[in-house]
Amino acid sequence: GAVVSQHPSWVICKSGTSVKIECRSLDFQATTMFWYRQFPKQSLMLMATSNEGSKATYEQGVEKDKFLINHASLTLSTLTVTSAHPEDSSFYICSASQGGMGEKLFFGSGTQLSVL
Amino acid sequence: QQQVKQSPQSLIVQKGGIPIINCAYENTAFDYFPWYQQFPGKGPALLIAIRPDVSEKKEGRFTISFNKSAKQFSLHIMDSQPGDSATYFCAASGSGGSYIPTFGRGTSLIVHP
């Protein structure tokens, strides 16, 4: 299957700093990528849909100025958590659609963010 | 987002058993129903998927049964192994306005040796 690479796998940062997470589709072009947040033993919570060359679409309740998403190319989307606080600590996962319309989602390995 | 209801929340079986996980959806515009497997600390991985034009799909030990009229689908794991212990998510998506995948709450499966 297609490969989606997500980095870093884990990051520890101080409160108030910003953290950037990268998501790359290695062997296919992804016009659409999704960013999720997952709390322990819970389902995936969609944060935003990232479209190449345009602004991301954020889900209700997700602060777009807090979680900056950039999808500058067909193979790279980034999520920047700005001015991180302990409540932002979570497991963040990206996915890319090979089918182009939300089908055949391939997920990155996730990023565990811990904000001290 | 339309909800996809998944049950049970957790499931424990013995090796060789056949765990069954069920999902139900509401939006008839959904036309793609995948299952994902997630191990701790990892992202989900696509396991198997089905479209409404068939009632069953089998890939290895994994089988999806689909009931279009009831708007339900289920995952069966034949001859389950301890290595199958993971969290399983069903999802639904479709063309048009409902293409963004909607995930179930997940089922934590434990297969005892």
Side-chain angles (χ1 to χ4, degrees), chain A:
Chain A
V3 178
V4 174
S5 176
Q6 184 175 343
H7 291 282
S9 297
W10 56 271
V11 58
I12 301 173
C13 68
K14 294 182 178 180
S15 184
T17 60
S18 295
V19 175
K20 179 183 284 188
I21 303 170
E22 289 190 351
C23 181
R24 294 179 184 271
S25 56
L26 296 185
D27 50 2
F28 66 101
Q29 293 183 332
T31 55
T32 302
M33 289 186 175
F34 301 95
W35 286 95
Y36 296 87
R37 185 173 180 175
Q38 187 178 35
F39 293 102
K41 298 187 184 299
Q42 294 192 22
S43 187
L44 302 162
M45 183 186 78
L46 180 65
M47 299 175 65
T49 301
S50 170
N51 297 294
E52 186 268 336
S54 64
K55 291 183 178 181
T57 302
Y58 290 82
E59 294 300 301
Q60 189 174 7
V62 178
E63 300 176 58
K64 61 181 180 180
D65 295 330
K66 172 88 174 158
F67 300 99
L68 299 178
I69 291 174
N70 184 278
H71 194 158
S73 76
L74 288 172
T75 59
L76 174 63
S77 177
T78 61
L79 167 67
T80 302
V81 182
T82 62
S83 186
H85 287 90
E87 57 265 30
D88 298 324
S89 298
S90 188
F91 192 56
Y92 294 88
I93 313 172
C94 71
S95 70
S97 173
Q98 190 178 34
M101 292 297 287
E103 300 183 359
K104 295 184 180 179
L105 286 185
F106 294 93
F107 286 84
S109 55
T111 297
Q112 182 64 52
L113 171 63
S114 296
V115 184
L116 303 178

